[in-house]
Amino acid sequence: MGFSTSAAAAVVFLGALLCASTLYPVYDTSTERFAAAEDANEERALERQNTDLTLVDATYTPETNVSAASLRVTVVNEGTTTLSVDGTSLLVDGEYVRVESTTVDGDGARTTWAGGERLVVTLDTAALDERPDRIVVVAENGVTDATEEV
Amino acid sequence: MASVSVSHLVLFIAALLVAVSVTGAMTGSVADISESLEEQSLDTSQRIDTDVTVISDPGSDAVYDDGNGTVTVLVKNTGRNTLSADPERYDVLLDGRYVPANRTSATVLDGERWEPGNVLRLEIDASLASGEHRAVVIVNGDEATLRFAT
């Protein structure tokens, strides 16, 4: 091979090395990012599988003054996933209702709700003018339970 | 001979120039590809981290208001990402038909942003005939479906 051919080959080879050094870190980061997202997704699926709620009681206490009525809902976490109190939502007759206060096993300062523990939620009844027919509780991962015994 | 050396030199320079041009084009393309790979991996990991669940109670009267012609869908963010509540950022299908963003309005019910665990109330202007219907919300490629009857 002539000297010019060798020199040209050397330049192309150096270029190929530069390309590889540019591509490889990006490929490595992409693979890692994808794997982390997949792992998190599988973990969420497992948590959802291990979540089980039971709405054990819903007590509506009417008052002659409607604004003083109260609706208290008790839910037991019968699964093994620890849930977030703030992430738990309640629907009353299909409408989202704001939570006034919560206690977990009697403690009002708790923000997590472990397996076997009892969450008691007092709801804002300002929008209710009669006894509701159906209550639905939704955990932060989408698992639900409902009752029509109010 | 001097003329032979000059011609060899010219050929050498020409060969080097061609090699440098090829290498330059190659590294330029690889830089573009690596940038695209980086953005694609970010996009893919965000899609995997996105999960939304419809929590509306389909048997309740809260889903369809035939007086106003409004379908209300409650969507909970059950993924890892904070999502945009702007109707322009996600797609809504009603009975298979695309609903333009100007016919929908969205409100986060339990926070300022649609963070994980928060609920988005999506209101769709639509007058529906009696029967069974289906609403699909697609956020970052993740679909959530609500089947209901009017």
Side-chain angles (χ1 to χ4, degrees):
Chain A
M1 225 165 47
F3 183 71
S4 58
T5 311
S6 303
V11 169
V12 171
F13 175 71
L14 281 172
L17 272 183
L18 190 63
C19 291
S21 69
T22 306
L23 262 181
Y24 181 76
V26 172
Y27 166 77
D28 192 45
T29 308
S30 302
T31 311
E32 207 175 292
R33 203 175 271 150
F34 180 76
E38 276 291 318
D39 283 346
N41 192 31
E42 283 169 14
E43 205 175 303
R44 279 200 306 279
L46 185 61
E47 284 181 359
R48 200 174 297 130
Q49 195 73 18
N50 289 332
T51 299
D52 185 17
L53 307 177
T54 303
L55 211 163
V56 297
D57 182 63
T59 304
Y60 175 70
T61 309
E63 299 286 343
T64 47
N65 178 0
V66 167
S67 63
S70 69
L71 177 58
R72 205 174 67 173
V73 177
T74 305
V75 191
V76 176
N77 180 355
E78 296 196 334
T80 55
T81 301
T82 297
L83 302 171
S84 156
V85 172
D86 288 342
T88 303
S89 308
L90 279 107
L91 306 184
V92 176
D93 291 338
E95 297 277 359
Y96 176 86
V97 177
R98 285 196 176 279
V99 169
E100 276 189 352
S101 65
T102 58
T103 60
V104 175
D105 280 358
D107 184 351
R110 289 281 301 276
T111 58
T112 57
W113 176 28
E117 293 185 327
R118 186 172 287 245
L119 171 72
V120 178
V121 180
T122 304
L123 298 175
D124 177 2
T125 54
L128 294 179
D129 52 5
E130 58 182 10
R131 182 181 299 275
D133 293 319
R134 186 170 153 91
I135 313 277
V136 176
V137 61
V138 187
E140 78 247 34
N141 51 23
V143 174
T144 64
D145 193 23
T147 186
E148 292 175 356
E149 296 172 7
V150 182
Chain B
M1 304 249 276
S3 60
V4 172
S5 301
V6 167
S7 64
H8 279 176
L9 183 65
V10 167
L11 283 173
F12 173 73
I13 291 169
L16 269 187
L17 277 175
V18 168
V20 166
S21 308
V22 165
T23 303
M26 195 167 64
T27 53
S29 299
V30 165
D32 289 341
I33 290 169
S34 65
E35 203 178 306
S36 296
L37 263 180
E38 173 86 17
E39 284 176 20
Q40 189 190 40
S41 75
L42 265 173
D43 189 46
T44 304
S45 67
Q46 277 188 355
R47 281 172 181 257
I48 295 172
D49 285 340
T50 298
D51 188 27
V52 292
T53 305
V54 170
I55 64 168
S56 292
D57 194 5
S60 71
D61 294 333
V63 175
Y64 180 61
D65 179 354
D66 54 6
N68 294 331
T70 306
V71 176
T72 302
V73 183
L74 300 176
V75 189
K76 194 175 187 72
N77 181 353
T78 49
R80 275 208 321 178
N81 287 339
T82 295
L83 302 171
S84 170
D86 182 359
E88 299 274 353
R89 299 294 299 273
Y90 45 85
D91 301 316
V92 177
L93 302 178
L94 193 55
D95 293 333
R97 291 191 179 84
Y98 178 77
V99 178
N102 60 8
R103 280 176 48 200
T104 61
S105 66
T107 313
V108 178
L109 295 176
D110 48 358
E112 291 188 5
R113 300 193 305 161
W114 196 14
E115 294 174 348
N118 286 2
V119 177
L120 182 82
R121 181 174 59 211
L122 185 61
E123 290 173 323
I124 307 164
D125 293 334
S127 292
L128 301 175
S130 294
E132 296 178 351
H133 301 277
R134 190 173 71 165
V136 179
V137 180
I138 305 166
V139 182
N140 276 356
D142 190 60
E143 282 188 20
T145 303
L146 172 68
R147 294 177 193 270
F148 60 99
T150 57

